[in-house]
Amino acid sequence: MAAIADTAAPAESAVAYFEGEATAPEWLEKAAGQVEAFVAASDEVLTVVVTSGGTMVPLERRTVRFVDNFSTGTRGSRSAEAFLAAGYRVVFLHRAGSKRPYLSQMSMEALFDADGPGALVETGDGSLLVPNESPVVACVRARRAAKASGMLLEIPFVTVEDYLWLLRRVAQCVESLGARAMMYLAAAVSDYYVPTAAMPEHKIQSSAEALVLELEPVPKMLGALHAEWAPAALVVSFKLETDAALVEAKARRAIAKYGVNLVVANRLDNRNELVHVVHADASRPVVDVSPGAPGEPIEIQLVQTLKAEHEAFVRNS
Amino acid sequence: MAAIADTAAPAESAVAYFEGEATAPEWLEKAAGQVEAFVAASDEVLTVVVTSGGTMVPLERRTVRFVDNFSTGTRGSRSAEAFLAAGYRVVFLHRAGSKRPYLSQMSMEALFDADGPGALVETGDGSLLVPNESPVVACVRARRAAKASGMLLEIPFVTVEDYLWLLRRVAQCVESLGARAMMYLAAAVSDYYVPTAAMPEHKIQSSAEALVLELEPVPKMLGALHAEWAPAALVVSFKLETDAALVEAKARRAIAKYGVNLVVANRLDNRNELVHVVHADASRPVVDVSPGAPGEPIEIQLVQTLKAEHEAFVRNS
């Protein structure tokens, strides 16, 4: 059902995309102002920009149908929690509605249900109580502390074009931090999209026949990110594969092609048990990372591994 | 970017789909057992099956990419609340992760934030409080009451094929209720899909060229629902259009083609201010429904209108 057309244009570079017809989202400069204020307050602390969740590819201007990438934002939100615990300041760029730091471990349903470990308890005077043994309490306090101390800034995006504009602008904002900034690109970014100019205004009408969609490659951001927008930052990208045989080879290819510093490679089916950290220096062995203890999120060990790399990167820069 | 192929097969009927190669989801009979028990306890009360949220169309067997339909589930979850308030028993078939009755009005973020109308309050003894003036309290109690009294049964689905199997099976389960069952089809069901047999096993590999996707029409359920699976039930379907000129004409076409009893027609841009209820009897004028009071969800008036139709339908059957 899927075919690569042999007549299509090659992938546009991100630089060409921004010089072309695309226009910035209205909210971009407001978000950039928030990041600039965040960066200005950063002192000598390490800062990470975490991207998280999937990007949406609208098929119509008034969006009814869209193509999406599977991502709940679990990797990104848990990583943000681990970075905060490791002392980082975190800019969390996330798909609107995907998981967010400390909000992801509990569901509204668990609170609302009449029983269960997180359930709200009737007090008898009309209010409801989260008992101090509930796991919700620690999450609420951790989230409030991260917000109140200014260690966490969250900015949402929806479409892949929103994401492209936001990533570039935020990279430019953190460039003043030099090597102390890490770009941690955990978002599941669409590979193909329909440029706004090529979209129909209204809902595509249904018919009794097949629907043929032709999508263009999304402009490649990684090369421009490293080469132009944040050349001093440590860039960590992700490679998700379902095919075990391709995981490391794809990571090496991304390093060779885009000049990223580290690639976190994993398979879809065991991504919470095993990830591979591949270094740009091919003489460095691949580091396999697993959870530090049964039930502990793998992101805690992953962030420890990356923090050690980041500290060495800062010393060597 | 979208084209209707002129060589493709016509839309398969739902009957042919179920007689073909498709296989039922593993969890289907467990869900059917829940619905059967629910129906067995229903006495003379009116019952509605509400479908809600969008359906996912996987493009790969191990799903990374998918096509999706925009739907938060707001219409369906608010309608379910309105049906419960109007005395209905509700089977709520919803896209996993979309909005659900009484859970949809508050967000975890509002609870977790340090201030704001829904914020959890520190008690000083280690626990957290939802104060009795919070809007959360009424939602928690309404949800618990609906669950405890057995008036609400929720069953999730994800893919469009899950949805097809679930809708057919649930329709068969409520058929014993005769005219006292309403099928209220608010879910945003995909028009096109990739049959499981046509899917690649692994993630589609990216390339520098365009991606061409060919999707087949989703088997049409409405005709079989009315004609075969639940012929005695009142069937209410929805027509969402972005183009104002097409709204009523599309509703009339659905009635003529599939034999549904009522169509709720609306536009995407004002769907919370105005909907049109179109009756199968073309001599009956279209009923325009708006919110009963400023700020009141339109679904309260819509459900009142449909309940009156349903009561007449029961009397006449």
Side-chain angles (χ1 to χ4, degrees):
Chain A
M1 44 53 73
I4 305 294
D6 55 10
T7 56
E12 192 179 22
S13 83
V15 174
Y17 171 83
F18 290 110
E19 286 171 353
E21 285 180 31
T23 53
E26 289 169 12
W27 47 264
L28 185 65
E29 285 310 310
K30 187 184 166 205
Q34 292 177 304
V35 178
E36 278 164 6
F38 186 85
V39 165
S42 78
D43 293 326
E44 293 302 303
V45 179
L46 294 174
T47 294
V48 64
V49 176
V50 174
T51 72
S52 184
T55 59
M56 180 208 278
V57 172
L59 300 176
E60 299 139 328
R61 286 193 202 203
R62 304 195 194 182
T63 307
V64 176
R65 293 196 186 88
F66 57 93
V67 179
D68 213 326
N69 258 31
F70 172 74
S71 176
T72 58
T74 300
R75 174 77 86 211
S77 64
R78 285 187 183 157
S79 297
E81 293 172 16
F83 277 116
L84 287 163
Y88 273 81
R89 303 185 79 226
V90 177
V91 179
F92 188 68
L93 309 182
H94 63 285
R95 166 69 174 272
S98 68
K99 289 188 175 179
R100 289 158 64 187
Y102 309 113
L103 291 173
S104 59
Q105 294 176 32
M106 292 297 304
S107 69
M108 286 293 268
E109 186 177 14
L111 288 167
F112 275 51
D113 273 356
D115 37 46
L120 293 165
V121 177
E122 290 278 359
T123 58
D125 69 355
S127 54
L128 298 166
L129 197 72
V130 185
N132 54 15
E133 66 273 20
S134 164
V136 173
V137 173
C139 290
V140 169
R141 292 200 180 123
R143 185 167 170 88
R144 289 180 180 179
K147 295 286 236 182
S149 62
M151 297 292 277
L152 172 63
L153 174 64
E154 299 176 302
I155 300 175
F157 59 82
V158 176
T159 70
V160 68
E161 292 190 81
D162 285 353
Y163 174 82
L164 297 179
W165 284 95
L166 184 60
L167 183 65
R168 182 178 76 145
R169 198 70 186 81
V170 171
Q172 291 167 337
C173 290
V174 301
E175 179 55 12
S176 64
L177 297 172
R180 285 183 290 114
M182 182 196 299
M183 303 294 298
Y184 179 90
L185 306 173
V189 183
S190 312
D191 293 320
Y192 293 95
Y193 80 131
V194 182
T196 307
M199 273 178 216
E201 175 76 8
H202 288 296
K203 186 180 166 190
I204 302 163
Q205 294 303 311
S206 305
S207 89
E209 294 164 346
L211 180 72
V212 178
L213 300 175
E214 188 169 332
L215 286 77
E216 298 183 15
V218 169
K220 293 296 182 188
M221 297 289 282
L222 281 176
L225 179 64
H226 181 70
E228 304 206 12
W229 304 327
L234 181 77
V235 178
V236 180
S237 72
F238 280 71
K239 265 291 169 193
L240 174 69
E241 276 299 322
T242 55
D243 192 340
L246 291 176
V247 166
E248 194 185 327
K250 294 283 287 256
R252 290 269 170 230
R253 206 183 308 170
I255 288 169
K257 196 163 173 184
Y258 304 117
V260 302
N261 302 96
L262 295 158
V263 173
V264 180
N266 61 266
R267 301 206 329 252
L268 186 59
D269 57 356
N270 69 346
R271 65 192 186 279
N272 292 318
E273 286 82 49
L274 179 64
V275 301
H276 314 279
V277 178
V278 184
H279 198 282
D281 177 354
S283 71
R284 296 271 304 275
V286 173
V287 178
D288 290 348
V289 177
S290 296
E296 184 184 275
I298 192 172
E299 289 79 8
I300 294 174
Q301 289 302 313
L302 174 58
V303 163
Q304 289 301 328
T305 301
L306 296 176
K307 186 183 183 185
E309 292 288 351
H310 195 188
E311 288 169 340
F313 181 79
V314 171
R315 284 193 301 274
N316 296 336
S317 67
Chain B
M1 46 54 71
I4 305 295
D6 54 10
T7 57
E12 192 179 22
S13 83
V15 174
Y17 171 83
F18 290 110
E19 286 171 354
E21 286 179 28
T23 53
E26 289 169 12
W27 47 264
L28 186 65
E29 285 311 308
K30 187 182 165 207
Q34 292 177 306
V35 179
E36 279 165 5
F38 186 86
V39 165
S42 78
D43 292 325
E44 292 302 302
V45 179
L46 294 174
T47 294
V48 64
V49 176
V50 175
T51 72
S52 184
T55 59
M56 180 207 278
V57 172
L59 300 176
E60 298 139 329
R61 285 192 204 203
R62 305 197 194 179
T63 306
V64 175
R65 293 197 186 86
F66 55 93
V67 179
D68 212 326
N69 257 30
F70 172 74
S71 176
T72 58
T74 300
R75 174 78 84 211
S77 64
R78 285 186 183 158
S79 297
E81 293 172 17
F83 277 116
L84 287 163
Y88 272 81
R89 302 185 80 227
V90 177
V91 180
F92 188 67
L93 309 183
H94 63 284
R95 165 71 174 271
S98 69
K99 290 188 176 179
R100 289 159 61 187
Y102 308 114
L103 291 173
S104 59
Q105 293 176 34
M106 292 298 304
S107 69
M108 286 294 268
E109 186 178 14
L111 287 167
F112 275 51
D113 273 355
D115 37 47
L120 292 165
V121 177
E122 290 278 0
T123 57
D125 69 355
S127 54
L128 297 166
L129 197 72
V130 184
N132 55 16
E133 67 272 20
S134 164
V136 172
V137 174
C139 291
V140 169
R141 294 203 179 122
R143 185 167 170 86
R144 289 179 180 178
K147 295 286 236 181
S149 63
M151 298 291 278
L152 173 62
L153 173 64
E154 299 176 301
I155 299 175
F157 60 82
V158 175
T159 70
V160 69
E161 291 191 81
D162 285 353
Y163 174 83
L164 297 179
W165 284 97
L166 183 61
L167 183 65
R168 181 178 77 146
R169 197 71 186 83
V170 171
Q172 291 166 339
C173 291
V174 301
E175 179 54 13
S176 64
L177 297 171
R180 284 183 291 116
M182 183 196 300
M183 304 294 298
Y184 179 90
L185 306 173
V189 183
S190 312
D191 293 319
Y192 293 95
Y193 80 131
V194 182
T196 307
M199 272 179 217
E201 175 76 10
H202 289 296
K203 185 180 166 189
I204 303 163
Q205 294 304 312
S206 304
S207 87
E209 295 163 346
L211 179 73
V212 179
L213 300 175
E214 188 168 331
L215 286 77
E216 299 183 13
V218 169
K220 294 295 183 187
M221 297 288 282
L222 279 175
L225 179 64
H226 181 70
E228 304 207 9
W229 304 327
L234 182 76
V235 177
V236 181
S237 71
F238 280 72
K239 265 291 169 192
L240 174 69
E241 275 299 321
T242 56
D243 192 339
L246 292 175
V247 166
E248 192 184 329
K250 295 281 288 253
R252 289 271 169 228
R253 207 184 307 169
I255 287 169
K257 195 163 173 185
Y258 304 117
V260 301
N261 303 96
L262 294 159
V263 173
V264 181
N266 60 264
R267 298 200 337 246
L268 186 59
D269 57 355
N270 70 346
R271 65 192 186 280
N272 293 318
E273 287 81 51
L274 179 64
V275 302
H276 314 279
V277 178
V278 184
H279 198 283
D281 177 353
S283 72
R284 297 270 304 276
V286 174
V287 178
D288 290 348
V289 177
S290 297
E296 184 184 276
I298 192 172
E299 289 79 8
I300 293 174
Q301 289 302 311
L302 174 58
V303 164
Q304 289 302 326
T305 300
L306 296 176
K307 186 182 183 186
E309 292 287 350
H310 194 186
E311 288 170 339
F313 180 80
V314 172
R315 285 193 300 274
N316 297 334
S317 68

